[in-house]
Amino acid sequence: PSSWTRTSVASLLTGVLPGRHKVYDRLDVLSDGLPTLQSFLQNVGYYTTAWSSNPNILPMWGFARGFDEFVDIGSYAWAKNKADSNEVFTLVEKAVLADVALPRMFYIHLMDAHAPYTPPAKLLATVKANASLLEKFPVAVGQPDVAEVWFSYQRYVAEVSDLDEQIGAFLDFLKGAGLYDSSLILVV
């Protein structure tokens, strides 16, 4: 419903469009009056936890409501040192193994595919060596003033590749823990 995080996550967690939740701008806070998915699940016996490294969905913006636990993973430092999904998934995996008997809802908000792009060197080299990426880039690479955009594009693609690997590893972890088949997993 929006091109930026706070408005989109407000819709994701409430199920209503921005015209109803009114979270549009930098200072807007999610209203206590709107029911959330996590509140509903909490009321029917789920233990709800959020992990986020994004400063736009911190408790101060109303996003902790309905979560039994809200774990901020470096959101205040994201512009210089954002948390990698590997770091986030390591914390989530520990929580998964802590008590498998409870019904649980986990919300995991990752920042890997968001600037600043700092992919692993190995993946960046793989991306740079992939000639087919030139075909997908919307501008001829040799044009003036395109070098910086091309530089960012390569890093973005490498970040997305890394994120894909990390999500795959987490799904493998759930399978190994015997939890995958009984889980509902949404990736947005």
Side-chain angles (χ1 to χ4, degrees), residues 14-132:
T14 63
V16 299
L17 293 172
R20 176 122 182 260
H21 63 60
K22 307 290 187 209
V23 177
Y24 298 110
D25 294 318
R26 296 248 174 244
L27 299 178
D28 292 341
V29 176
L30 184 62
S31 167
D32 285 343
L34 288 172
T36 62
L37 173 63
Q38 63 273 20
S39 295
F40 172 79
L41 290 172
Q42 193 179 51
N43 288 334
V44 296
Y46 279 72
Y47 188 82
T48 57
T49 307
W51 286 271
S52 176
S53 53
N54 190 312
N56 284 302
I57 60 163
L58 289 170
M60 65 189 276
W61 305 119
F63 289 97
R65 188 172 42 85
F67 285 110
D68 293 300
E69 197 175 350
F70 191 102
V71 182
D72 173 22
I73 306 167
S75 67
Y76 292 103
W78 77 269
K80 293 181 181 175
N81 188 25
K82 69 180 179 183
D84 182 80
S85 58
N86 186 42
E87 177 184 351
V88 177
F89 281 131
T90 297
L91 295 172
V92 174
E93 288 173 7
K94 286 179 185 174
V96 166
L97 295 174
D99 186 358
V100 294
L102 291 174
R104 293 172 291 172
M105 181 260 194
F106 291 163
Y107 174 79
I108 305 166
H109 196 109
L110 305 168
M111 290 288 287
D112 297 56
H114 193 293
Y117 306 121
T118 55
K122 178 182 150 193
L123 281 174
L124 183 57
T126 301
V127 167
K128 286 181 175 184
N130 187 344
S132 71

Side-chain angles (χ1 to χ4, degrees), residues 135-147:
E135 299 166 7
K136 295 174 178 66
F137 192 65
V139 181
V141 176
Q143 289 185 3
D145 302 323
V146 175

